[in-house]
Amino acid sequence: MAQTVYSTTPAPATEGSVDVELRGVVKHFDDEPAVQGLDLRIYQGEFFSILGPSGCGKTTTLRLIAGFETPTEGEVLIQGVNMGRIPAHRRPVNTVFQSYALFDHMTVRDNIAFGLKIKRLPANQVRERVLDALRLVRMEGFADRMPNQLSGGQKQRVALARALVNRPAVMLLDEPLGALDLKLRKQMQVELSTLHRQLGITFILVTHDQEEALSLSDRIAVMNAGRIDQIGTPSDIYDRPTTPFVADFIGDTNLLHGHLEGSDGTVLRVVTPSGLKVLVQQHPEIPPEPHPVVVSVRPEKIRLSADFPTADNCYHGQISHVMYLGTHIHCGVRLSSGETLTVLLANRGQALPDLDTPMYAYWAAEDVRLLSAELPLPVSAGNP
Amino acid sequence: MAESPLPSSPAPDWGSHLAQTLAPQRWLGPVAMLGPSGLWLFLLLVIPTLLILEISLVPGLRLGQPAGGYGLGNYLQILEPVYLRVMGRSLAFALGSTLLCLGLGFPVAYWLALMSPKPWRNLLVVAFILPLWTSSLLRAYAWTTILRPSGVLNTLFGVLGLPSQTWLNTPTAVLIGLAYSFLPYMVLILYASLEKLDTRLLEAAADLGANPQQRFWKITVPQTLPGIAAGCLLVFIAALGDFVVPTLLGGASSMNISRLIYNQFLGPTRAWGFGSALSMVLILAVSLAIALLLKYGDRSTVTETSQ
């Protein structure tokens, strides 16, 4: 087995030296704000994702780091160096573009060698490193093809090889898997993760695919309308969202808008305008004083029962829709108070509930996430 | 007509195949569409060219003198040093004006396609082709007033305290005139090519460490090479056969092939045989350039531009 030139350090801890730092970065395009005040630290060796809907400013953020855009305000630092006056071609980062942006007048080999030749590396070193990179993305047999002779997945691999052959401090990935079909995307996700572990360099991934971000990242920043709503580990983001937007954008959820009425010891009481009472576990970040709040209940946390169950939260309703998803069964429950809850049941071979069957939907107080309603929920990000 | 149910039948039925090919519905449409222009081209291009070819093969043919037999004498005459010099000069004019147009036109086309303010872009392009809407003869005459001894250029030289120069009737004047005449074509073709340049490739090159010069030579130029080839060949072809500019601006010292041909037919010698041989050489050279254009040039930019 030929010895690989890439270090094989294992995935590092999140705390360490800072590779990329944004300080109060603001970007306007013709007075249209794209990014509004970003503060961000990305650590050496981290797999960091920037997740958000289209138009949230995530690609602009990546382009600010790469140097294709200059911030209107604020600073971008890479490995402690202020990038203010450093153009894209002198930054220690390499980008994998959404469109691949392969040079179609060059062979795969020349595409990958481009960066090394620019750096005037000796020819034998260029040859070796190009071969290594090709091997790494499993494209050894394609060195002499032209880009237009490759499939989407193969182009993606070449684009990856062309970036990582330069051994950048930071790899920037702009929706790299967006153009691939589902199966190939899953496969490439696994390969990206493996590559990241093998190379031990910082990966910054921009994506609108929450599953991709959750499965690949050490940490995720969820962006919404030019701002970061929450930064955290995948389980922070999914299990402990801090804003209604994050709760709604990451996975499915039931959002109930209501008013915090008071506290019963360790449990808070929320009442919706329709009169629904929801018990929520006391939350250190949410003050117990009465104020508007949003309650988020994940569909998989809700259970159904024909008989009256014992639970903190239990509501009577009727089945409004049933969808068979294979691994799961997706149900809607129309409550007597008017709300419709989405419920996800694991498929254990049980009979599908019939439409309009009366049912109790119930969940525990600790399965609910209480969020401050101060940050308004965008209209476009509503429940499906 | 129904297709045979067994297309790979071992014994093809040639008779029905022929009948199918000759069925009126197969050829009537194409003939109706291509016939008129085909007849036009045959009568006014193919037959005259063949006549020129025939005349060129009669050595020493002069108007009003009995013709001799066929031979290659006219073509051999072209190899005399005096005429080879004319050929060389024609080639030099064509090459020189092509390079001038490329050098002057590329920055303009680049600016128009990639840097000019977008709302004004179309207007700027139209402004650039505006000279094409006036007669080339008129434009060449305009240059004579600029270049003549007491013309605009020398007046300007006088103001700047520089000595007067001889401009008119020099090869320099021919080059200036040719480059001026064909620059809009070059700019248009390069513009069409540069406009299609995927600027994301330039970003990718910058990302890989290429500075602006490297991006230009390694990405912009190779990506627009078909446009560059098309522009150069088109200008070359036009400049090689140009008659007006060398006649008006070049004077006696700037004899080129088209003027030489003119002299054979309408000058005092009336040497139609020799003139025809020269014409055949010019036709051949231009055909060769067109063949190269079709092979290497970006055809879409040429057709877009000539529309």
Side-chain angles (χ1 to χ4, degrees):
Chain A
M1 191 81 198
Q3 198 190 345
T4 170
V5 289
Y6 300 96
S7 68
T8 49
T9 42
T14 43
E15 291 298 323
S17 58
V18 177
D19 245 358
V20 176
E21 184 173 359
L22 304 188
R23 288 184 189 158
V25 169
V26 173
K27 177 66 186 177
H28 292 242
F29 290 110
D30 303 326
D31 296 331
E32 278 288 313
V35 163
Q36 324 191 38
L38 290 190
D39 288 289
L40 193 59
R41 283 168 158 223
I42 297 166
Y43 297 100
Q44 205 282 315
E46 212 178 1
F47 198 126
F48 191 91
S49 292
I50 303 174
L51 175 65
S54 50
C56 73
K58 56 188 191 299
T59 293
T60 305
T61 307
L62 201 76
R63 292 173 59 82
L64 284 162
I65 299 171
F68 302 136
E69 309 287 354
T70 42
T72 313
E73 280 172 42
E75 294 175 339
V76 175
L77 290 91
I78 298 177
Q79 297 188 315
V81 181
N82 191 336
M83 291 288 129
R85 292 176 163 274
I86 298 184
H89 67 267
R90 288 189 7 232
R91 296 191 181 193
V93 300
N94 284 115
T95 308
V96 177
F97 295 87
Q98 185 174 13
S99 59
Y100 315 133
L102 295 181
F103 307 131
D104 51 14
H105 59 285
M106 297 178 192
T107 60
V108 165
R109 185 195 306 280
D110 289 340
N111 263 279
I112 297 173
F114 190 89
L116 302 177
K117 283 185 183 162
I118 291 282
K119 288 197 199 87
R120 297 182 190 285
L121 251 66
N124 58 334
Q125 264 190 56
V126 171
R127 204 176 321 116
E128 254 172 55
R129 278 172 69 168
V130 167
L131 271 177
D132 275 335
L134 279 167
R135 220 173 283 141
L136 208 59
V137 296
R138 300 195 281 111
M139 289 285 289
E140 298 97 314
F142 295 86
D144 296 311
R145 298 268 188 103
M146 297 305 275
N148 60 13
Q149 297 171 302
L150 303 177
S151 70
Q154 291 168 338
K155 282 183 190 171
Q156 187 54 66
R157 281 165 212 268
V158 174
L160 260 171
R162 187 178 68 175
L164 58 83
V165 75
N166 303 291
R167 299 177 195 165
V170 182
M171 278 274 278
L172 305 176
L173 303 125
D174 183 8
E175 306 238 10
L177 312 179
L180 305 180
D181 61 54
L182 186 66
K183 199 153 191 180
L184 200 55
R185 197 154 66 220
K186 296 280 174 216
Q187 188 190 333
M188 287 299 292
Q189 282 173 9
V190 174
E191 284 181 30
L192 266 186
S193 180
T194 312
L195 271 178
H196 173 249
R197 232 174 312 124
Q198 280 182 346
L199 302 176
I201 56 175
T202 309
F203 274 41
I204 303 179
L205 171 78
V206 157
T207 182
H208 65 268
D209 183 342
Q210 36 141 328
E211 210 180 303
E212 190 168 294
L214 288 174
S215 60
L216 293 175
S217 318
D218 295 317
R219 286 195 306 151
I220 299 171
V222 183
M223 277 190 83
N224 173 25
R227 291 197 171 82
I228 292 178
D229 262 29
Q230 186 175 359
I231 300 181
T233 63
S235 76
D236 282 341
I237 301 284
Y238 189 81
D239 296 325
R240 293 174 291 283
T242 55
T243 71
F245 174 80
V246 174
D248 192 49
F249 187 72
I250 314 295
D252 268 346
T253 196
N254 294 288
L255 291 181
L256 300 167
H257 292 256
H259 205 83
L260 187 63
E261 297 263 292
S263 138
D264 304 337
T266 60
V267 176
L268 302 175
R269 195 170 62 249
V270 176
V271 179
T272 70
S274 61
L276 210 66
K277 288 194 187 70
V278 187
L279 296 182
V280 184
Q281 199 157 44
Q282 179 98 46
H283 197 287
E285 289 153 42
I286 306 278
E289 294 91 61
H291 70 285
V293 289
V294 179
V295 171
S296 160
V297 195
R298 295 282 185 201
E300 69 271 20
K301 305 280 191 192
I302 305 178
R303 289 153 193 236
L304 297 181
S305 164
D307 311 315
F308 189 79
T310 2
D312 300 326
N313 296 294
C314 174
Y315 309 96
H316 189 257
Q318 285 177 314
I319 299 291
S320 62
H321 77 255
V322 177
M323 276 190 288
Y324 182 74
L325 302 178
T327 58
H328 287 83
I329 298 155
H330 189 272
C331 300
V333 179
R334 200 182 322 103
L335 303 183
S336 318
S337 53
E339 289 92 348
T340 299
L341 296 176
T342 306
V343 181
L344 200 63
L345 304 170
N347 183 3
R348 295 198 184 84
Q350 74 269 46
L352 297 184
D354 288 324
L355 281 186
D356 299 327
T357 319
M359 278 282 180
Y360 289 99
Y362 65 99
W363 64 84
E366 61 262 29
D367 286 341
V368 183
R369 186 78 188 157
L370 187 64
L371 306 162
S372 177
E374 298 322 27
L375 289 160
L377 195 65
V379 189
S380 61
N383 252 333
Chain B
M1 183 165 274
E3 272 188 11
S4 162
L6 287 170
S8 58
S9 126
D13 182 356
W14 290 109
S16 79
H17 186 78
L18 195 69
Q20 233 178 54
T21 314
L22 294 179
Q25 61 264 43
R26 293 287 292 266
W27 53 262
L28 213 56
V31 164
M33 282 188 278
L34 301 178
S37 60
L39 193 68
W40 180 269
L41 282 177
F42 184 74
L43 290 176
L44 298 175
L45 187 77
V46 177
I47 291 183
T49 308
L50 289 174
L51 282 174
I52 295 172
L53 180 65
E54 196 206 346
I55 295 169
S56 77
L57 290 169
V58 182
L61 178 84
R62 281 163 202 275
L63 197 62
Q65 287 183 9
Y70 290 116
L72 289 174
N74 290 325
Y75 289 95
L76 293 174
Q77 196 183 346
I78 297 173
L79 298 178
E80 287 170 23
V82 60
Y83 297 120
L84 277 183
R85 263 203 299 281
V86 172
M87 298 286 162
R89 197 181 293 124
S90 303
L91 217 58
F93 282 154
L95 276 174
S97 53
T98 302
L99 289 179
L100 263 176
C101 281
L102 184 63
L104 294 170
F106 200 96
V108 175
Y110 189 92
W111 183 82
L112 281 173
L114 298 169
M115 293 160 78
S116 66
K118 238 190 177 133
W120 295 90
R121 196 163 291 171
N122 283 337
L123 202 70
L124 287 165
V125 173
V126 171
F128 217 85
I129 48 173
L130 220 54
L132 289 181
W133 294 353
T134 60
S135 139
S136 61
L137 189 67
L138 221 59
R139 282 182 284 145
Y141 268 120
W143 273 104
T144 60
T145 58
I146 296 171
L147 298 175
R148 68 173 183 240
S150 58
V152 178
L153 198 58
N154 272 341
T155 311
L156 205 67
F157 267 49
V159 170
L160 295 172
L162 296 164
S164 274
Q165 304 280 325
T166 310
W167 298 103
L168 205 58
N169 302 334
T170 64
T172 313
V174 177
L175 275 178
I176 291 175
L178 288 174
Y180 172 77
S181 296
F182 303 123
L183 186 60
Y185 293 105
M186 179 67 99
V187 168
L188 264 181
I189 290 173
L190 291 178
Y191 170 79
S193 188
L194 281 161
E195 207 200 11
K196 284 186 285 184
L197 180 69
D198 185 353
T199 49
R200 289 175 300 187
L201 297 184
L202 297 177
E203 277 188 353
D207 187 72
L208 294 165
N211 63 31
Q213 288 88 20
Q214 289 166 324
R215 298 202 284 270
F216 179 77
W217 289 110
K218 287 176 190 287
I219 307 296
T220 309
V221 169
Q223 286 280 326
T224 52
L225 208 54
I228 295 172
C232 285
L233 283 165
L234 210 71
V235 170
F236 181 83
I237 292 164
L240 191 62
D242 194 68
F243 173 74
V244 172
V245 170
T247 308
L248 288 181
L249 304 178
S253 64
S254 298
M255 177 68 72
N256 75 339
I257 186 165
S258 40
R259 289 175 72 190
L260 190 61
I261 292 169
Y262 174 88
N263 286 351
Q264 302 317 308
F265 284 96
L266 300 170
T269 58
R270 302 281 155 134
W272 281 29
F274 182 50
S276 296
L278 286 168
S279 301
M280 288 314 295
V281 168
L282 185 59
I283 289 170
L284 204 72
V286 169
S287 305
L288 196 73
I290 289 174
L292 287 173
L293 177 64
L294 293 180
K295 189 157 194 302
Y296 297 108
D298 182 348
R299 254 180 283 176
S300 68
T301 57
V302 176
T303 44
E304 268 167 36
T305 309
S306 50
Q307 269 163 13

